[in-house]
Amino acid sequence: MKVGFIGLGIMGKPMAKNLLKAGYEVVAYDPFAKANLDDVVAAGAIRGESNAGVASQVDVVITMVPNSPHVKEAIFGEKGIAEGAKPGLDIIDMSSIAPLASKEIAEECAKRGMRMMDAPVSGGEPKAIDGTLSIMCGGDPAMFEQYKEMLGVMGASVVHCGDVNGAGNTTKLANQVIVAVNIAACAEAFELAQMAGVDPEKVFEAIRGGLAGSTVMNAKVPMMLSRNFNPGFRIDLHIKDLNNALETGHGVGTPMILTSAVQEMMQWLHNNGSGSDDHSGILKYYEKLTGVELGNL
């Protein structure tokens, strides 16, 4: 199978490399991450010259770009996928976008003779690198079955979340709400320990194996303790996801109280120069309020 891969950022680059390692022939393109494109080509990919050029050479195209407008532009814009698509081309959008936008894009693709499945991911850069992402898919069950094995090269968990396009992205929004609130809770709890005079590292050691323990805690609290805010997943991208979650929640009438609170924290961080930090940088919001830096007893 010949696979197109468009979007080679923090996540897309290692995902494309894992496809290459598994023996897939990959045609890659990203006009904004040329160094990453060079890296993927050096790993064995064919260099694409445009989105349309990629589409003209492959059976399926994976898109991994920041948000809904970028997906629409990659598919329907000038020299987009639709322009170069052969009859019956399949598109798997692994970006995290609004569920309604995903549905609209899939409907437009169908009008042009293409199938589209949304398949956003969770796990951040470390799991993208080692191929253990969680992949949440929405759309045609037959298409899901056709590409499940390929997706499994990039993820340890590949789940079909619903027959309707956007089901995958709805699942991703639920994931992002839980992750954001969990990180904020960790920041709040460990600042509490710090200000009460208890070593945060000892607190982490004591509670990580209990009910409070989580994948989020294990991944993000060590980053807080070491003050390593190099992005595995940037605050600005999480803001985008929470905006989509709030819009979707408001549309269906569900209260988004905790999501709104954490979104305000992240927005403050964005406005104060930390938007490119890892989302574990929510800690900085608490440190600003308390005047106490974690780890300095």
Side-chain angles (χ1 to χ4, degrees):
M1 185 187 302
K2 201 169 185 180
V3 182
F5 206 108
I6 294 169
L8 301 167
I10 288 176
M11 301 291 287
K13 183 177 80 167
M15 290 164 69
K17 283 186 168 184
N18 283 332
L19 288 171
L20 289 165
K21 289 175 188 174
Y24 288 91
E25 190 174 1
V26 176
V27 184
Y29 180 66
D30 190 321
F32 306 109
K34 293 184 178 178
N36 286 2
L37 176 57
D38 290 342
D39 193 8
V40 172
V41 169
I46 299 165
R47 185 186 300 272
E49 300 301 329
S50 67
N51 294 337
V54 170
S56 68
Q57 301 179 60
V58 300
D59 308 300
V60 57
V61 177
I62 293 171
T63 50
M64 188 62 173
V65 295
N67 207 353
S68 310
H70 306 95
V71 178
K72 292 177 181 177
E73 180 64 22
I75 298 174
F76 306 120
E78 184 179 355
K79 294 186 178 179
I81 291 166
E83 187 178 314
K86 296 180 288 187
L89 180 74
D90 288 333
I91 299 172
I92 302 175
D93 179 38
M94 302 189 77
S95 319
S96 295
I97 68 174
L100 181 58
S102 189
K103 185 174 183 237
E104 291 170 349
I105 292 166
E107 288 171 351
E108 184 60 32
C109 284
K111 292 176 186 176
R112 303 185 189 212
M114 301 179 290
R115 293 189 301 176
M116 197 275 273
M117 177 171 71
D118 54 305
V121 307
S122 177
E125 185 183 19
K127 289 184 178 294
I129 290 170
D130 64 20
T132 59
L133 292 165
S134 294
I135 303 176
M136 300 149 260
C137 304
D140 181 1
M143 186 174 175
F144 171 76
E145 291 299 331
Q146 182 176 345
Y147 293 108
K148 183 178 181 181
E149 182 178 345
M150 181 190 75
L151 293 171
V153 167
M154 298 176 281
S157 169
V158 183
V159 177
H160 186 246
C161 299
D163 297 355
V164 179
N165 286 101
N169 274 304
T170 300
T171 306
K172 176 61 186 286
L173 293 183
N175 179 88
Q176 293 303 82
V177 166
I178 292 168
V179 169
V181 174
N182 202 334
I183 293 173
C186 287
E188 189 168 302
F190 283 89
E191 273 289 288
L192 166 66
Q194 178 80 35
M195 295 186 71
V198 180
D199 185 347
E201 292 195 16
K202 295 294 185 183
V203 174
F204 177 55
E205 182 182 341
I207 70 174
R208 62 185 298 189
L211 189 59
S214 68
T215 301
V216 171
M217 179 186 285
N218 287 340
K220 298 304 174 179
V221 169
M223 295 180 72
M224 294 178 187
L225 293 171
S226 65
R227 309 199 63 72
N228 169 22
F229 302 120
N230 293 326
F233 191 79
R234 295 193 302 274
I235 285 170
D236 282 345
L237 284 177
H238 215 138
I239 287 173
K240 177 263 297 184
D241 287 343
L242 295 189
N243 278 335
N244 285 336
L246 289 167
E247 179 184 347
T248 303
H250 296 159
V252 300
T254 188
M256 304 294 289
I257 298 163
L258 296 175
T259 304
S260 299
V262 180
Q263 177 72 312
E264 288 301 313
M265 297 177 195
M266 289 190 175
Q267 192 63 51
W268 183 90
L269 289 162
H270 167 84
N271 292 338
N272 286 273
S274 296
S276 293
D277 285 354
D278 186 79
H279 48 185
S280 59
I282 289 175
L283 174 68
K284 292 183 179 180
Y285 177 82
Y286 282 91
E287 292 178 337
K288 178 68 176 179
L289 292 178
T290 63
V292 175
E293 188 175 288
L294 194 68
N296 287 333
L297 279 173

